[in-house]
Amino acid sequence: MMTAERIVLRPKKIRRVAWACAIGLVVVFTVVGLLLGNTPTGVIFRTSDQVAMIVLGVLLAGGVLLLTRPRVTADATGIDVRNVVTSHHFDWNDVLSVSFPDGAAWARLELPDDEYISVMAVQAVDREYAVSSVRALRELHKAARI
């Protein structure tokens, strides 16, 4: 969602893929867990083994859903970057530029001392959305630095 005052960006394609994979994992592990009781091999699976298999599927799905976590919130004062595990806040004065290097998977904020922070919410696979997102972030950065 983009407005004149505040921008909130989230990746598009990875969210759909991650949700589909998470649902698939839960379904597959649930089916396997339920079918564990009926095996002709002579191995005895208990109810706890079946439940553990289903719980394992849910945990793996939760891990996949971490990929839906990235988000960027930016306004005239600064930018908040939330990636899969970490979160950062920067005032625009601390950011040298917003870049999207050739071949990179996602955009990044260039910081002093040759450091940078990846912006996983703006991903190359989102194509036009990524281009418009970087342009919007650059406009906010430019307006804040004047």
Side-chain angles (χ1 to χ4, degrees):
M1 175 177 112
M2 292 185 220
T3 64
E5 321 165 336
R6 185 173 178 208
I7 298 173
V8 178
L9 304 170
R10 299 193 73 164
K12 300 255 184 227
K13 288 185 181 178
I14 192 71
R15 291 174 69 199
R16 290 191 301 264
V17 170
W19 273 103
C21 288
I23 291 168
L25 282 168
V26 170
V27 168
V28 167
F29 275 78
T30 300
V31 168
V32 169
L34 294 175
L35 295 177
L36 274 180
N38 301 327
T39 176
T41 62
V43 178
I44 300 172
F45 290 103
R46 299 197 164 119
T47 304
S48 61
D49 298 320
Q50 292 174 303
V51 170
M53 185 63 72
I54 295 168
V55 168
L56 181 60
V58 170
L59 290 174
L60 289 172
V64 168
L65 288 178
L66 282 175
L67 296 174
T68 67
R69 191 173 185 269
R71 183 180 72 199
V72 169
T73 306
D75 58 22
T77 61
I79 183 168
D80 291 308
V81 178
R82 184 176 75 184
N83 288 329
V84 174
V85 178
T86 60
S87 295
H88 302 279
H89 172 79
F90 298 100
D91 292 329
W92 284 120
N93 291 330
D94 298 332
V95 177
L96 298 178
S97 67
V98 178
S99 66
F100 209 125
D102 287 339
W106 42 73
R108 64 189 196 181
L109 300 179
E110 303 290 339
L111 304 171
D113 299 325
D114 293 326
E115 293 183 21
Y116 66 88
I117 294 292
S118 297
V119 181
M120 296 178 78
V122 181
Q123 299 185 358
V125 295
D126 290 331
R127 301 194 183 271
E128 289 303 317
Y129 177 73
V131 171
S132 64
S133 298
V134 169
R135 285 182 180 152
L137 290 173
R138 286 178 177 163
E139 288 293 322
L140 273 177
H141 181 249
K142 181 180 174 183
R145 301 236 349 174
I146 293 178

